[in-house]
Amino acid sequence: MKILAKSLALAGIASAAFVATPAAAQVAGIATSSPEAVIVRSAARIAAYQQIDQQYAAQIQQARTVRQEIQALQVSLDTNKDNQLSEQEVAANPGVVQQVQQKEQQIGQISQPIVLAQTYAVEQLINDYNNARQQVISQKKIQIMLAPDAIQWAPDSVNVTADIVAALDKRVPTVQIVPPAGWQPRRESYQLQQTVQQVLVQVAQQQAAAAAQPQPQTDGR
């Protein structure tokens, strides 16, 4: 159930990031939002990630290449070509399995400075998130704030994510991407960075799926 709830929550955050909902007043003092959705849509987070992508472009390309190598190795393990790896197929090629594991470790090493920079950016936003949320709670006289996955149905006006994003953007317009020497991220910061990354992957998949949809034909008029 926890896995299902997390999947539903991620899907909801990804949808919010993909299609922004207009800000509106909450219903009867009840509102919904989540830190993940706010951080994903934060202007400072977006700008920081763009800077990180530029600064670590070579490492990102290297990691992409290694992932392609892993995919090729996994295809070679699939001897019956059913797009699934059985225990027998894995056991029959321990050398290839070892190569996959080594390359996965390589990706972890390549990605380490990227993840650290992203986590540092996210942590700076986390540090002021509660203040931005409280600002919106006070302004809109919210009495109950719930996570989106805690509600089966509600009108769009219940979601105050856009309001908190706007408040956070004003409070923290920019963040740094180079952590000070010896800096260690808090556990919550690393966990949120991982969640944000999952959301961004889902958003990219949604956008790719939308782009792949056949375009409606017109009569030229």
Side-chain angles (χ1 to χ4, degrees):
M1 289 296 292
K2 290 183 179 179
I3 295 176
L4 176 59
K6 183 176 181 181
S7 298
L8 290 173
L10 286 175
I13 297 168
S15 298
F18 185 57
V19 181
T21 303
Q26 79 289 349
V27 175
I30 299 175
T32 68
S33 186
S34 69
E36 297 86 356
V38 173
I39 300 302
V40 165
R41 293 167 57 179
S42 163
R45 199 281 309 164
I46 294 171
Y49 272 43
Q50 290 173 345
Q51 294 176 27
I52 292 168
D53 287 347
Q54 294 173 359
Q55 181 168 331
Y56 294 98
Q59 291 89 333
I60 292 172
Q61 180 56 51
Q62 185 181 1
R64 186 178 295 117
T65 299
V66 176
R67 287 193 185 93
Q68 292 172 348
E69 294 172 355
I70 290 175
Q71 291 175 353
L73 289 170
Q74 291 173 334
V75 169
S76 71
L77 288 171
D78 184 18
T79 53
N80 63 3
K81 307 304 178 186
D82 65 348
N83 295 322
Q84 295 181 0
L85 291 180
S86 66
E87 294 182 2
Q88 292 78 9
E89 288 174 327
V90 172
N93 295 278
V96 175
V97 173
Q98 185 177 9
Q99 290 182 56
V100 170
Q101 293 172 342
Q102 290 173 343
K103 289 184 180 297
E104 288 176 342
Q105 292 176 355
Q106 184 182 355
I107 289 178
Q109 294 172 350
I110 295 170
S111 302
Q112 185 175 3
I114 301 171
V115 172
L116 193 66
Q118 291 176 342
T119 306
Y120 183 56
V122 166
E123 185 166 292
Q124 293 168 76
L125 292 166
I126 292 175
N127 290 341
D128 210 29
Y129 167 79
N130 286 338
N131 293 328
R133 182 182 62 181
Q134 188 58 47
Q135 180 179 326
V136 173
I137 288 174
S138 298
Q139 289 174 346
K140 291 184 169 292
K141 297 180 173 57
I142 295 171
Q143 298 176 359
I144 300 175
M145 177 77 78
L146 299 173
D149 58 331
I151 296 179
Q152 291 186 353
W153 180 89
D156 291 342
S157 57
V158 167
N159 191 330
V160 295
T161 295
D163 300 280
I164 302 177
V165 170
L168 187 60
D169 284 348
K170 290 182 179 180
R171 297 182 64 90
V172 190
T174 61
V175 293
Q176 301 299 314
I177 64 171
V178 180
W183 176 80
Q184 293 295 326
R186 299 193 300 266
R187 179 179 298 180
E188 65 170 324
S189 303
Y190 176 73
Q191 291 175 341
L192 187 53
Q193 182 273 336
Q194 293 292 298
T195 301
V196 167
Q197 198 62 31
Q198 293 177 50
V199 172
L200 295 177
V201 169
Q202 290 192 10
V203 170
Q205 291 173 344
Q206 288 181 4
Q207 292 174 336
Q213 291 294 326
Q215 298 296 320
Q217 296 182 352
T218 62
D219 57 8
R221 290 183 296 177

